[in-house]
Amino acid sequence: RWANHLNVRISMTPREGGQDGSCGNFNGNVADDSTAAIKSRIAGQRVAPSDLLFNVPAQVGPGGQHVTIADCAQAKRDHAMEVCK
């Protein structure tokens, strides 16, 4: 849903009390999962640095540089394909 998109699929059951995030609010209504709607619901709420899964927070939202797999060096793509088999 973001201009610079997420290439992952997360499968989970709904959490009691609801949930929200980059992928939407899990209510089955994709119309309220636009970038603007998500940002308005989670404004100012960020994951604490100590809870991040990666070294730095993701830069999300519109305006990111649009890249595709074609922008990745062939050797790097070949390595990734080998590792992911």
Side-chain angles (χ1 to χ4, degrees), residues 14-79:
R15 297 190 64 178
E16 187 175 325
Q19 63 204 56
D20 209 344
S22 295
C23 298
N25 58 12
F26 211 67
N27 68 355
N29 179 6
V30 298
D32 68 0
D33 292 336
S34 67
T35 299
I38 292 169
K39 288 181 87 169
S40 72
R41 289 194 304 267
I42 63 173
Q45 299 179 50
R46 299 293 293 184
V47 175
S50 61
D51 292 332
L52 291 174
L53 297 176
F54 304 102
N55 292 332
V56 295
Q59 298 300 313
V60 295
Q65 179 183 2
H66 181 74
V67 295
T68 69
I69 195 164
D71 296 304
C72 186
Q74 187 64 49
K76 194 172 209 175
R77 293 186 343 209
D78 292 343
H79 175 72

